[in-house]
Amino acid sequence: MNALGRHILAEIYGCSADMLNNADIIEKCMVEAALRAGAEVREVAFHKFSPQGVSGVVVISESHLTIHTWPELGYAAVDVFTCGDTVNPWDACNYLGEMLKAKDMTATEVKRGIFNEPVKVANY
């Protein structure tokens, strides 16, 4: 079985509310997570909500990393989607858990674009 990509869906709990509410810290952690996973960072966009919370995306050559934070709950939802064999999305997730000082993290890996046979393309 071959897959085009690996998509990690991470639930990160028990994090510092101050960290989760700081867009600069979240952005730096996300970019560093991408680099530690072996990815090539292309673009970065983050938004600080009022009164609290941060959402952001790090676009990488191999796909993307996203985060949405709920500081009042100490919770962050993180997606790390990578394509190819050179990037390890688990390295990014584990780094984020450490940096956010998580008390708990659960994560699930989903294989994306699973192909058991060569793709047949119809001519139109």
Side-chain angles (χ1 to χ4, degrees):
M1 176 182 347
N2 294 320
L4 295 176
R6 300 166 67 193
H7 195 163
I8 309 298
L9 306 167
E11 308 285 312
I12 305 177
Y13 301 97
C15 303
S16 159
D18 290 336
M19 289 186 76
L20 292 180
N21 206 35
N22 186 318
D24 292 333
I25 289 174
I26 295 296
E27 180 177 331
K28 287 176 185 168
C29 287
M30 291 288 287
V31 168
E32 183 62 23
L35 295 173
R36 285 178 180 244
E40 181 180 4
V41 174
R42 291 298 185 165
E43 294 192 37
V44 176
F46 283 80
H47 178 78
K48 168 74 172 73
F49 292 96
S50 181
Q52 58 197 3
V54 175
S55 287
V57 61
V58 176
V59 178
I60 58 177
S61 294
E62 301 81 6
S63 197
H64 68 268
L65 290 77
T66 63
I67 190 168
H68 305 284
T69 73
W70 286 260
E72 71 277 20
L73 301 174
Y75 169 74
V78 172
D79 289 4
V80 180
F81 183 14
T82 63
C83 299
D85 298 325
T86 61
V87 179
N88 185 345
W90 287 104
D91 290 343
C93 286
N94 291 330
Y95 175 78
L96 288 169
E98 290 173 25
M99 294 308 296
L100 296 175
K101 298 180 171 69
K103 292 190 172 113
D104 189 31
M105 179 172 77
T106 61
T108 303
E109 180 172 334
V110 177
K111 302 289 188 205
R112 304 296 303 269
I114 298 172
F115 294 97
N116 292 322
E117 298 178 12
V119 176
K120 296 177 184 173
V121 179
N123 293 325
Y124 293 98

